[in-house]
Every structure is written in C-alpha cells, then in structure tokens.
Amino acid sequence: MIVVVGIGADGMAGLSAAARAELARATVIHGSDRQLALLDDSVAARRVPWPSPLLPALRALEPEAGVHVLASGDPLLYGIGSTLIRQFGADRVRILPHVSSVTLACARMGWPVQDTEVISVVTAAVHTAVRRGGRAVVLSRDGATPAALARLLTDTGRGQSQLSVLEQLGGPCERRHDGTAHRWAIDPPDGVDDLNVIAVRYLPDVRQGQVLPDDQFVHDGQITKQGIRAVTLAALAPRPGELLWDVGAGSGSIAIEWCRSAPGCRAVAFEQHEQRRARITANATAFGVAVEVAGGAPEAFGHAADPAAIFIGGGVTAPGLLEACLQRLAVGGRLVANAVTAESEAVLMQWYSKRGGELRRYQHYRGEPIGRYTGWRPAYPVTQWSVTRR
C-alpha cells in the first residue's frame, strides 16, 4: 500500500493523529525537499527527495513493500495523489489529506468554495488563468506568477481585476498582498514567496455562454460566423478533455469555442498565414484557453497529438488534406468540414458519396435597411459534411 500524507505550511502541528501515526511507523518517506523539511525529529524514517524527472521514480515504487509519500495539502487537488492512483489504482493508494490551499484561500477571502473556480498554472501556461469574469483561486508556479498574470489580465482588458496573493497559507509566515492587475502590471509586489496562491476577482465581468459574437475575436474576415459556428460546434459535439484539430483556423474561433465548451477541452489550430497565427494566439490568450498554434496543414500534422475531432474550415480542395485528416482520426473520431465555394462543395459531395455521414446546407439572411424599409440580405450558403470514422 502507498500511503500519501498531506502536510501544510504549519508542518507537524497541523497533522491529524492518523497522519502522525503513519509517519511514525514509516521506514522511508518520499517527498519534495520543501515538504520533507517540515518533518520534525519525531519522524525517524529515512527521507528521500524526489528526483527529476519524477515519473520514472514513481513507477519504481513497490506498493507491496509499504511506501509513504509526503504531499502538499490535499494530494488529490492537482497533486501527486492523483498521479499515483492513475499509476497503481485506487485500491493500492491511501490518501490522508490536509486542508487544501484552495479551502484556506477561500476562508481568507470569504468565498464559498463551491462557487470558486480552481485553476492550476503550476505546469500550464499562465494565460490559461485569464477569465472574462467570476472568481478563481489560481495555484501558482512560483513567486513570479502573480506579476505575470497581472500583466496578462491588463493586456487583455481585465486590468480592473482584484488580486490577492496568499503566501504560506496556514503557516507561521502567512502573508497577504492585495492589489489590482493594472497596478501590479506596473509595480508588482516585492519578494513574493514561491509557495503562493492567487485569489482573483475578474473585472469587468462580461461572461457569456456559447456562442460568442464575431466582434469578440480579432480577425481579418476569415472567421466562421456566429450562426454557422453554433451549428458547427453542435456537429463537432465536444466532450470533456477532448482534443480538436482546427484546420485552416483563420481567427481560431472554432478552436476557442471548443475549448470553452467543456472542462479540459484543448485544441491545435493549423494556419499557414503568419499574421493569422498571431491573431489566433492573441484570441486564445484573451479567452484563457489552451490552443496550440501550428503551421499549415497537412505539413504540420506530424508532431501534433491525435485528435478526437477535426474541423476543416478552409483548404478542403488542397490535395491530400482530407485523406491526411481521416488517417489521424481514431475509430469514433468526428470530422466536420465546411465549404463555401462550388469547388470545395464538390469535394465534400465526393467524400459524402464515398464515406457517408451527414451532408447539410445552411442559408441564412440578415435584415438590413432598404431606404425606409427592411430587406433580407443573404449570406453565402455553407455546405457542411460531418462523418464519424468507423
């Protein structure tokens, strides 16, 4: 059995009797240098700091021999407990949690935990903690994270956001800094401890569900319009944790909507034009979503992880593109392609004849002034082919 004991910044004083008993009977305890330093002389076990890289050391553990691991706070909140359970199974890992930093942060802020988002940028890019409203506890990578987040919030129009950096929560050296993103982007607090979380109230609060208006994206006209974006997302049917390839991404609007649609959704946006790639990056940063930006398709497919779904918004007439996309889809993967021109529509018709799936055509109109009256102006019709690989 692997026993994982959570410990806080208050060290041994904050441990339960059960946690103390486990550490007392341990012969070897694995943990980070910082966590192991919290143990006092009542713990006689040999202390083994984790090496880098960590995963090979975890795989070498032998649960049958009895293993003790020291973790920070709640080991199942973005912690090593989850990794160990994935590796060995829940029946071979016992968790003795401490109060998490998120619970402590919410207590300091007076925020209900169930109404507070939890975001970790310990290994993720800092921009994934950008939001358009609400509040969150952000788990920092180090002491530089608060200033980096403040700059990003300011650059994306969230400079009014209120930030509280909470250091060494629950310990004797607990400290708090309060400010706004705009202020900290100019003059960040000094000497922030690496062990910190950031409580953020995002302002202004302009949260909106799917699907976003076109003017929320930076684009040059190459964008899947709002109405077509809605039916395209419906056809793609995103599920939590899935990866999308957005091929011929333009502004990246489909990739961004995909990432916003369900927890853990990620996307790779393939775009051959350099300026458009820069716009995709800017849009992804503004919405705080995990979109990787790559070059043109299919040349840039090589190093990308296999997707659960693929959207082709441009380039369906490129030789070999559809074949390359279908080859990278696993069984059960979904492909959706939109066409506006007669030539691209003809390609989709041919593939529909060969592979089946669903073929739809969308035509929509906008009411516009004609003198003192109103008339209907048609948009280009869009042909959509969707198919599930079998």
Side-chain angles (χ1 to χ4, degrees):
M1 178 67 71
I2 299 175
V3 180
V4 187
V5 177
I7 191 168
D10 51 355
M12 298 289 293
L15 293 178
S16 66
R20 286 173 170 272
E22 281 295 338
L23 295 176
R25 75 181 187 87
T27 56
V28 178
I29 300 175
H30 301 265
S32 70
D33 287 324
R34 180 181 61 79
Q35 293 153 2
L36 294 173
L38 295 170
L39 300 177
D40 63 21
D41 294 339
S42 67
V43 179
R46 183 165 62 93
R47 305 171 190 189
V48 180
W50 291 122
S52 181
L54 176 60
L55 280 180
L58 296 184
R59 296 190 186 107
L61 296 177
E62 298 179 359
E64 292 76 13
V67 176
H68 285 80
V69 172
L70 198 61
S72 181
D74 183 349
L76 292 177
L77 182 67
Y78 292 101
I80 198 168
S82 304
T83 306
L84 290 168
I85 288 173
R86 284 195 300 270
Q87 183 71 31
F88 297 102
D91 58 333
R92 303 169 80 189
V93 180
R94 181 185 174 206
I95 305 291
L96 297 176
H98 193 274
V99 178
S100 73
S101 58
V102 171
T103 297
L104 289 171
C106 287
R108 302 297 186 265
M109 301 300 298
W111 294 353
V113 178
Q114 73 273 10
D115 296 333
T116 304
E117 185 179 3
V118 181
I119 307 169
S120 174
V121 295
V122 175
T123 57
V126 176
H127 85 266
T128 57
V130 173
R131 296 291 184 270
R132 294 201 167 253
R135 54 194 179 197
V137 173
V138 180
L139 310 181
S140 289
R141 179 178 307 161
D142 52 33
T145 303
L149 178 57
R151 288 191 295 270
L152 278 169
L153 289 170
T154 301
D155 292 344
T156 55
R158 315 254 79 75
Q160 301 173 40
S161 298
Q162 299 169 355
L163 282 69
S164 295
V165 176
L166 305 165
E167 305 176 12
Q168 294 282 340
L169 275 167
C173 298
E174 182 174 322
R175 188 169 62 155
R176 173 173 174 168
H177 307 270
D178 296 297
T180 63
H182 175 73
R183 172 186 156 197
W184 283 0
I186 299 170
D187 184 22
D190 292 329
V192 175
D193 192 272
D194 285 341
L195 186 62
N196 75 83
V197 301
I198 315 164
V200 189
R201 182 171 176 237
Y202 298 96
L203 296 172
D205 192 334
V206 292
R207 286 173 290 176
Q208 180 177 338
Q210 280 76 11
V211 172
L212 297 168
D214 298 340
D215 61 9
Q216 300 246 342
F217 300 94
V218 179
H219 64 89
D220 60 359
Q222 292 298 310
I223 182 173
T224 302
K225 302 299 191 295
Q226 184 183 33
I228 300 301
R229 206 180 320 132
V231 295
T232 299
L233 265 292
L236 286 167
R239 300 164 189 161
E242 287 188 328
L243 174 68
L244 170 78
W245 283 7
D246 185 355
V247 177
S251 66
S253 63
I254 291 289
I256 289 165
E257 297 277 23
W258 169 277
C259 292
R260 296 176 68 243
S261 65
C265 281
R266 301 162 293 125
V268 181
F270 296 93
E271 175 55 57
Q272 62 179 330
H273 297 285
E274 183 177 355
Q275 285 187 326
R276 288 177 185 159
R277 290 199 297 270
R279 290 190 187 101
I280 295 168
T281 298
N283 284 326
T285 299
F287 285 98
V289 294
V291 176
E292 177 187 342
V293 182
E299 302 80 27
F301 285 177
H303 299 295
D306 289 339
I310 297 176
F311 170 65
I312 306 176
V316 294
T317 58
L321 177 64
L322 271 164
E323 293 95 329
C325 288
L326 286 166
Q327 286 172 4
R328 291 296 296 270
L329 274 179
V331 173
R334 294 95 66 200
L335 182 142
V336 176
N338 288 355
V340 175
T341 67
E343 292 79 4
S344 56
E345 183 179 275
V347 172
L348 296 189
M349 295 289 288
Q350 291 172 359
W351 277 93
Y352 172 69
S353 298
K354 289 191 296 184
R355 301 292 290 264
E358 299 274 352
L359 194 65
R360 300 181 177 91
R361 172 176 272 195
Y362 297 101
Q363 174 73 72
H364 63 280
Y365 299 79
R366 293 177 62 103
E368 294 188 3
I370 301 179
R372 293 184 298 111
Y373 299 96
T374 301
W376 294 106
R377 182 179 295 277
Y380 286 117
V382 176
T383 299
Q384 182 181 93
W385 176 54
S386 59
V387 67
T388 299
R389 185 169 181 182
R390 307 201 182 276

